[in-house]
Amino acid sequence: MRTMPTFPLRGADLAFSVKTFAAAVLALLIALWIDLPRPYWAMATVYITSQPLAGATASKALYRVLGTLAGAAAAVAIVPSFVNSPELLSLVIALWTGACLYVSLLDRTPRGYLFMLAGYTLALIGFPAVTDPGSIFDVAVSRAQEITLGIICATLVSTIVLPRSVAPVVAAKVERWLSDARGLSRDVLLGGGGSDADRAHRLRLAAEALEIDALATHLAFDRQADHHAVEGLRALRLHMQLLLPLLGSIHDRLAALDGHVGGELRALLRHLADWVIAADDREPADRLRTDIDALRPSLQGNSSWHQIMTTSLLIRLRELVDIAEDCRALNAAIAAGTDTSRVPLAFRTEQGIAPARHRDPALALWSAAGVVIAILVCCAFWIATGWADGASAPMMAAVACSFFATQDDPAPSIVRFAAWSLVAIAVDAVYLFAIIPAISDVELLIAALAPAFLLFGVLIARPQTTPIGMALGANGATLLALQSTYSADFQSYANSSIAFMVGMVAAVVLTRLVRSVRAEWIAQRLLRTSWDTLALTAERRGHHDRGAFVGLMLDRLGLLAQRFAAIPEDDRRELDNLSHLRVGLNIIDLRRARHGLTETALGAIETMLDRLAAACRGRGIGTGAMPAHLLSAIDVALLKTLDEPVAAAKEDALIGLVGIRTGLFPDAPAYRADSAARRSLVA
């Protein structure tokens, strides 16, 4: 077993631990007072539910209540119907748990906790009730009461006693992210952004944007959070997400113009770099926009690649000014608590109804199958041996397999959870058979429990040791099984503890056999899915909500960033440069131009998108590099677009085509109108 890591004690951690222990004691005392059959479940629920931030505790509490009620209702409906057929009952409970886990894994929001809990709650209630099915309704009701009591106590103490709001934490993360993004923007504008360190910085910002997004979901449950801040943060996060691929696009265009950046443009880039990084008293954005527009060349059918890239760069610089100004305005409005819907925004965005998230139905089904098999194997062992306390084995298999199902290889985490649960078993044994028998009143009992459970709370408060604290706190409270009278029996305790560990061991063994995969396999699967998404975007002619597409691709990017070390070197460069995301956004830019283009240009773009979709499908199944005929199709589409009469449509189409070309063919020779004309004749 690994030794427990040591960290300096912080006041916030200790305060959280004291609050959690107070809530647990309150829940236990109320449960004893109203004579609930298993008061220790109320105490354990506090340690399962409590989070250092009040909003996170409230959101988890709501979903835990709903999940418990759903699982309890399922127990009442299912157990009496199948109690005379234990094999069939085991199958039904296993399938219910697996189905709920499948939905939970697809949801990938805090709401997913509801479905996961509904799944294993049926196992927690149903398996112990097999020997006494007539009491299933009373057991389900009491379990719901005990858990709800624990949730209420945890939520009240968290939100009333020295509450830690989510809002300041999110605000600090957003401010730090914007500061880092301003620094990266300055580096890109001054010609940097292409080193390994810069790419790692860009990837880290993408991952941090997702962390902010995940943390912000708890704001709606935070009593101290302002409604305007919640709404404003949605708009700000969308701008933050769009900023990263925009910086990648600017870097690509500057790299393509290397050695051909004129003096006026170079001066503008330095001016813009100073403006982006400035904290206060900045030059008005409108003046910068005027300077940018003044340098834009007029494009014709015979325009050079240098002119095209310069125009494309200046358009992206205009977007950078707009997004940077919007981010500052929104962040200031959020800090002031004003209505962000009245903030005038310069950048055009399409806001989705909800953040899009990556979903993998096949992998979710695989994880669900793993928990079904683990439960059935434990049930088979229980039924075959006739073990009186064997119900704990399938219960713990259901809990362990569900809790860690989101990981590539859940087995190591289950092993660690089991190891620290074994420590909780040992600690409880000392309490039950050496300390508690000598205690005669509740005050002494609370004082005796305080040292261990305060330590558990400190461990939960720290991200590095949260799993350890959860294993010790939740299992320690559950296995301690405190009642109104002392009735501990060593043989019964040993049997239930052994059954508990059998379930954990079964979960580990079956997870290794059925579910464990390597991180690189998941990473390759995510990369293939990104290519498939690009193919679908091209086939749908860019009919993607811009915000939803960015959210989906950045969510996928965050999942890839967690597995960065397992990704092959060639694929890392695509990941660092956000190439999938940028190409997809450029396809969406083409959609904006469609209604203003002539049939000639539109036909060339349609042909290009068809070839792009086919090429992306090929990359999705690993068939090699992008084909040369796709580059030819892009150049032909550029040629046709440059002759377009409608300036706005030409601009949108140009942005999209240049972005697709530089994103997919960064090392290709410069576009030439005469070569494109010859290709057009061949086509």
Side-chain angles (χ1 to χ4, degrees), residues 339-519:
D339 186 358
T340 54
S341 65
R342 298 182 179 180
V343 175
L345 300 178
F347 187 76
R348 293 179 293 173
T349 61
E350 300 172 56
Q351 299 216 27
I353 297 174
R357 301 180 189 275
H358 169 73
R359 292 180 173 84
D360 191 335
L363 191 58
L365 186 61
W366 189 7
S367 298
V371 73
V372 170
I373 293 172
I375 293 173
L376 291 179
V377 168
C378 289
C379 287
F381 179 76
W382 174 28
I383 294 170
T385 59
W387 188 7
D389 293 308
S392 295
M395 286 165 47
M396 293 316 302
V399 172
C401 290
S402 297
F403 252 87
F404 303 104
T406 58
Q407 300 180 7
D408 297 342
D409 184 3
S413 295
I414 298 176
V415 168
R416 288 191 291 270
F417 186 81
W420 289 106
S421 296
L422 188 60
V423 173
I425 290 173
V427 171
D428 281 359
V430 173
Y431 270 111
L432 284 172
F433 304 109
I435 298 177
I436 293 179
I439 294 176
S440 57
D441 55 62
V442 70
E443 291 82 2
L444 286 177
L445 175 64
I446 295 171
L449 293 177
F453 282 89
L454 287 175
L455 173 60
F456 301 162
V458 169
L459 293 173
I460 293 174
R462 302 179 177 190
Q464 306 95 325
T465 56
T466 296
I468 298 174
M470 287 288 293
L472 293 171
N475 291 323
T478 303
L479 296 170
L480 197 59
L482 292 174
Q483 303 274 17
S484 56
T485 58
Y486 178 78
S487 59
D489 174 71
F490 184 79
Q491 182 177 356
S492 175
Y493 181 76
N495 268 329
S496 60
S497 299
I498 291 171
F500 180 100
M501 294 309 299
V502 166
M504 299 300 291
V505 170
V508 171
V509 172
L510 292 167
T511 295
R512 288 199 184 279
L513 292 175
V514 176
R515 170 61 179 80
S516 296
V517 295
R518 294 183 301 174

Side-chain angles (χ1 to χ4, degrees), residues 310-325:
T310 300
T311 300
S312 178
L313 171 63
L314 290 167
I315 293 171
R316 289 306 192 199
L317 292 179
R318 170 73 179 256
E319 291 178 350
L320 176 61
V321 171
D322 292 345
I323 289 180
E325 187 72 3

Side-chain angles (χ1 to χ4, degrees), residues 278-334:
D280 299 304
D281 299 326
R282 295 197 307 175
E283 181 180 356
D286 284 340
R287 191 176 304 169
L288 277 172
R289 296 185 184 107
T290 301
D291 293 342
I292 292 171
D293 292 339
L295 292 180
R296 285 173 58 172
S298 177
L299 297 180
Q300 306 298 329
N302 60 350
S303 296
S304 68
W305 182 237
H306 174 267
Q307 291 174 314
I308 295 171
M309 288 302 296
T310 300
T311 300
S312 178
L313 171 63
L314 290 167
I315 293 171
R316 289 306 192 199
L317 292 179
R318 170 73 179 256
E319 291 178 350
L320 176 61
V321 171
D322 292 345
I323 289 180
E325 187 72 3
D326 287 351
C327 283
R328 284 180 180 267
L330 287 168
N331 197 36
I334 292 171

